[in-house]
Amino acid sequence: MEHAPTTTPFRTHVVPEGHMPAEWAAHQRTWMAFPPPNATFGPGGSPSLDRARAAWSKVARTIARYEPVTVIADPRDTDAARRWLGEGITVAEIPLDDAWLRDSGPTFTQGRDGSIAAVDWIFNGWGAQSWAAWGKDRHVARAVSLAGGAPIRPSSLVNEGGGFHVDGEGTVLLTETVQLDPGRNPGATKESVEAEIHAALGTSKAIWLPRGLTRDYEDFGTRGHVDIVAAFAGPGTVLLHRQDDPSHPDYEVYQELHPILACGTDAQGRPLRVIDVPAPTVIKDDEGFVDWSYINHYVANDVVVLCSFDDPNDTIAAGILERAYPGRAVELVDARDIFAFGGGIHCITQQQPAAAGTGGLAE
């Protein structure tokens, strides 16, 4: 088992070479990964692995109606990936341990000249967790960057794409329990993390939340990824997961996070407008209190791909997101199996922005 670095030699006072565009900016394509046989999904041929592959493939096919999609697959799984995904989706052969590409993949940025580059964070299995394997996944970001034709910019920060969210205008959302996690960045401070984040993403202001959703701190969680609890939906606008049932521990999480965001300002000095998104009405599954969340959606060209749970609040959430992202279709995709494996639709997708002048058109 590999271990997290023992020091955090982050950069300071570095002038950013570019910035991470907001997710709603034009995309060249979406990247995903095909679930391999492993401890999370089950062995080859198992019903659980088939469930994962069906759920991931449904998301890929939905996005592919709006923009190009490339799904990376472990060499042993490329034929299976093509069968599950069908026509119109590119399959690229890259060794994999797992299929959460938001976290193991690169973060694409856009330079001042409009060109695209890719940040290669250090990936160590969500803080060197005992159940995680990352011998292959720690190389995935570099491989995807090369396949996507984007120059690589290595970062000294242990980080995952689900651990931050940007507005594309200088502001980034972070959680203390991820960025300051001793299993990720021992000895880190808010100041040292911000210096590295700002240098890598071209941001200038970080809004820190103390924690994420409760279930994310159980054995197979990420220790508080922000993209399941809060996300930018436009300049000065933040979507926030609201749990209305006082018996659910995330009720207290909402009570803590809402005033932080409601009193916050973005990098441009604008007061934040907080839009509450009610959680699904279901509060428990066989494992305990659920972390089902509509915040973990994905914004692609002309569409919002929204987690659904066969729940009365699916329709309410769809209406909220239609108003938050005017001009985009909202496509509901059942995400219960994805959440059962440990994440949501945002966790399994990664956008590659369009280079300036391409308009996000298919190649």
Side-chain angles (χ1 to χ4, degrees):
M1 182 65 68
E2 300 166 68
H3 297 283
T6 56
T7 59
T8 54
F10 302 151
R11 297 174 289 186
T12 57
H13 307 299
V14 175
V15 176
E17 298 179 61
H19 77 289
M20 180 184 181
E23 196 167 305
W24 53 86
H27 296 181
Q28 178 179 337
R29 71 176 56 252
T30 292
W31 292 86
M32 296 178 63
F34 187 69
N38 65 13
T40 300
F41 304 121
S46 64
S48 61
L49 180 61
D50 285 350
R51 282 171 47 217
R53 289 176 168 179
W56 265 246
S57 297
K58 179 64 180 296
V59 172
R61 289 194 297 270
T62 300
I63 298 169
R65 297 203 297 269
Y66 296 89
E67 66 181 62
V69 176
T70 296
V71 177
I72 65 173
D74 192 83
R76 62 188 160 170
D77 297 324
T78 52
D79 289 341
R82 292 187 177 98
R83 289 195 304 271
W84 278 96
L85 293 163
E87 296 181 0
I89 295 175
T90 301
V91 175
E93 188 174 291
I94 294 174
L96 287 174
D97 294 304
D98 220 320
W100 308 100
L101 200 67
R102 175 68 53 179
D103 296 342
S104 60
T107 297
F108 290 98
T109 60
Q110 189 176 72
R112 288 184 287 275
D113 62 354
S115 62
I116 301 301
V119 179
D120 180 9
W121 311 103
I122 297 172
F123 181 72
N124 77 339
W126 301 277
Q129 299 206 47
S130 60
W131 51 267
W134 62 92
K136 299 175 184 177
D137 279 359
R138 64 181 179 149
H139 302 297
V140 162
R142 177 171 290 270
V144 169
S145 302
L146 292 172
I152 299 162
R153 294 178 179 158
S155 171
S156 55
L157 189 69
V158 178
N159 202 8
E160 304 96 36
F164 55 88
H165 206 278
V166 302
D167 66 353
E169 295 191 7
T171 321
V172 59
L173 294 173
L174 304 170
T175 56
E176 295 177 15
T177 54
V178 168
Q179 303 299 334
L180 305 181
D181 177 14
R184 289 174 166 97
N185 299 300
T189 64
K190 287 184 177 180
E191 292 74 20
S192 65
V193 168
E194 286 186 23
E196 181 64 16
I197 289 279
H198 294 336
L201 301 181
T203 49
S204 58
K205 179 170 183 176
I207 298 174
W208 288 86
L209 303 179
R211 55 175 167 161
L213 298 186
T214 303
R215 189 155 173 173
D216 212 7
Y217 297 91
E218 295 181 359
D219 288 344
F220 300 103
T222 70
R223 300 175 184 155
H225 272 184
V226 75
D227 70 346
I228 198 171
V229 66
F232 286 110
T237 302
V238 179
L239 301 172
L240 178 63
H241 179 82
R242 189 186 78 205
Q243 175 56 250
D244 291 324
D245 191 322
S247 71
H248 195 301
D250 288 337
Y251 178 84
E252 296 297 333
V253 174
Y254 169 78
Q255 299 298 321
E256 183 176 9
L257 301 190
H258 187 274
I260 294 172
L261 291 169
C263 295
T265 57
D266 66 12
Q268 308 301 317
R270 294 174 292 222
L272 295 180
R273 180 171 69 106
V274 181
I275 301 175
D276 291 345
V277 184
T281 60
V282 173
I283 64 169
K284 282 188 174 183
D285 63 11
D286 293 340
E287 303 296 325
F289 288 107
V290 298
D291 58 352
W292 293 357
S293 171
Y294 301 110
I295 303 301
N296 200 263
H297 58 277
Y298 179 61
V299 184
N301 292 341
D302 299 322
V303 69
V304 177
V305 186
L306 177 61
C307 301
S308 69
F309 305 95
D310 191 24
D311 189 273
N313 280 357
D314 290 354
T315 302
I316 294 173
I320 292 171
L321 267 66
E322 283 175 353
R323 294 187 292 274
Y325 299 103
R328 280 182 160 84
V330 174
E331 296 264 11
L332 288 160
V333 177
D334 194 323
R336 286 173 291 179
D337 278 340
I338 304 175
F339 272 80
F341 291 114
I345 289 174
H346 197 254
C347 303
I348 67 174
T349 51
Q350 180 63 265
Q351 69 272 14
Q352 180 172 351
T358 64
L361 301 176
E363 296 171 350

